[in-house]
Amino acid sequence: MSKPRKPATIAAHAAGAIDHAAAGVVPPVQTSTTFLRNEGYDLVRPDNIYLRDDSDTVRHAEEVIRQLEGAAETLFFPSGMAAIAAAFRPLKAGEAVLVQSDIYYGAKKWITGFCERRDIAMHLIDASDAEALAAACAKIKPAILHVETPSNPLLKTIDIAKAAEAVQAHGGLLIVDATAATPALMQPLALGADIVMHSATKAINGHSDVLAGVLSANNAEGPHWQAIKLDRHDAGAVLGPFEAWLLIRAMRTLPLRVKAMTENAGVLAAHLNAHPAIDQVLYPGLPDHPGHALAAKQMSGFGSLMSVLVKGDASRALEVIGKLRVFLRATSLGGVESLVEHRPTIEPQSGLPENLIRVSVGIEDIDDLIADWDQALG
Ligand SMILES: *Cc1c(COP(=O)(O)O)cnc(C)c1O
């Protein structure tokens, strides 16, 4: 048997997605909503009935992520939030969930409302404290423990292996939002997670032109995963073929892009951390970051997301942001272009430090990125 292929090879070949009919080296976009039956009324392709759940293009995209995650099965959704919602929707009234307190604000907002409507008890926890997490799992016995690592925007690092042990000991599932890590830097399923989630809108697509989300599971036969899959089919929250095709195209360079972004982020974080106008840089790649050793253990790189706390108040943070020329002022992360965002303006109720600037580092030349911050900091 041949050796298993390395991630860069899987990605570059889009897990073997070629056009068999035309002998093209890339797959076509197949947009048909419905599929033919023959004279005997048998499906010409038994795996293709109707686009709501049968799409070669979406399946190709899923196969790339499945192989990169080392998953049993992968499902794409039309957004990251649709993927998170799909992961929670099989829960029943009376169950409990445990959710990391400092996760992506949109996820916390939706999960909170969903749990209220469904009579599901939602508990919040600082999941970076592994002992507190184990104690909370023993007490609450959550059906789902949902964590995000590194977290957005505080860059907390969660011990996935310990979190998995803690929740699985009481019959629950661990879901890891690994958007900031990407499948190029971390494999949560191999560390014990039951389901790994990504907003593919971010680095998986990486070109800021596709909205998508993805879930991968280490056990395709589990009842929770089966319910997620059935609901995607029946309720119809599916990705369109054009988006899937763009994702296949983009994911060919995922390891390459993430490597370049991570290298840039490491250099920029060290530079800003030593800058007199900066109070603190939150980035797991910095040796003084509380999650540094753990991130070094469970990730193969520290990623491209960081938060920068400038010396001064909100107006000083906004002044610096306003002066940046290479970094674009926009929400989102993981794209080839560097972005900055003043999260406290977006989430005024969050209690985030008012001088916090979230930074997503792209693939530009590092000299331009550093020069841009130096001139903006003045
Ligand atoms: C953006 C993001 C989401 C939501 O994804 P969408 O594709 O915007 O719906 C969820 N989690 C994290 C960590 C994100 O950054």
Side-chain angles (χ1 to χ4, degrees), residues 63-280:
E63 183 57 16
V64 178
I65 294 292
R66 191 193 70 74
Q67 291 192 21
L68 293 178
E69 297 281 17
E73 193 162 40
T74 292
L75 297 173
F76 262 103
F77 293 84
S79 70
M81 280 314 307
I84 290 178
F88 275 79
R89 221 177 269 123
L91 291 174
K92 295 179 190 69
E95 289 189 305
V97 297
L98 187 56
V99 176
Q100 181 182 337
S101 49
D102 69 314
I103 58 168
Y104 173 69
Y105 86 108
K108 195 154 100 182
K109 178 167 178 277
W110 185 86
I111 295 167
T112 303
F114 172 78
C115 289
E116 275 170 23
R117 293 191 298 279
R118 280 286 183 87
D119 203 12
I120 292 163
M122 176 185 172
H123 303 266
L124 292 171
I125 188 159
D126 177 355
S128 64
D129 181 342
E131 264 173 44
L133 188 61
C137 285
K139 186 162 162 239
I140 296 160
K141 299 185 177 40
I144 286 178
L145 167 60
H146 178 87
V147 303
E148 185 179 299
T149 187
S151 73
N152 168 11
L154 292 176
L155 283 303
K156 289 200 178 165
T157 310
I158 313 307
D159 191 322
I160 294 173
K162 284 189 183 159
E165 236 178 78
V167 69
Q168 288 160 0
H170 305 283
L173 301 176
L174 175 65
I175 301 177
V176 177
D177 180 340
T179 298
T182 83
L185 299 179
M186 190 171 78
Q187 278 68 44
L189 300 179
L191 295 167
D194 296 282
I195 294 175
V196 55
M197 174 270 160
H198 295 274
S199 165
T201 311
K202 314 294 169 53
I204 287 178
N205 181 61
H207 295 73
S208 306
D209 54 9
V210 170
L211 195 68
V214 64
L215 299 177
S216 302
N218 63 7
N219 174 11
E221 308 310 322
H224 192 86
W225 183 255
Q226 286 292 319
I228 291 172
K229 203 171 153 183
L230 184 71
D231 191 66
R232 184 182 76 157
H233 176 269
D234 292 357
V238 295
L239 190 69
F242 281 113
E243 280 80 5
W245 189 85
L246 281 168
L247 280 162
I248 292 168
R249 191 179 202 273
M251 289 188 294
R252 292 177 190 273
T253 56
L254 174 65
L256 199 62
R257 284 185 280 107
V258 170
K259 189 165 177 258
M261 291 155 72
T262 298
E263 273 171 23
N264 276 351
V267 177
L268 184 70
H271 179 79
L272 294 178
N273 205 33
H275 197 289
I278 301 287
D279 203 23
Q280 200 186 354

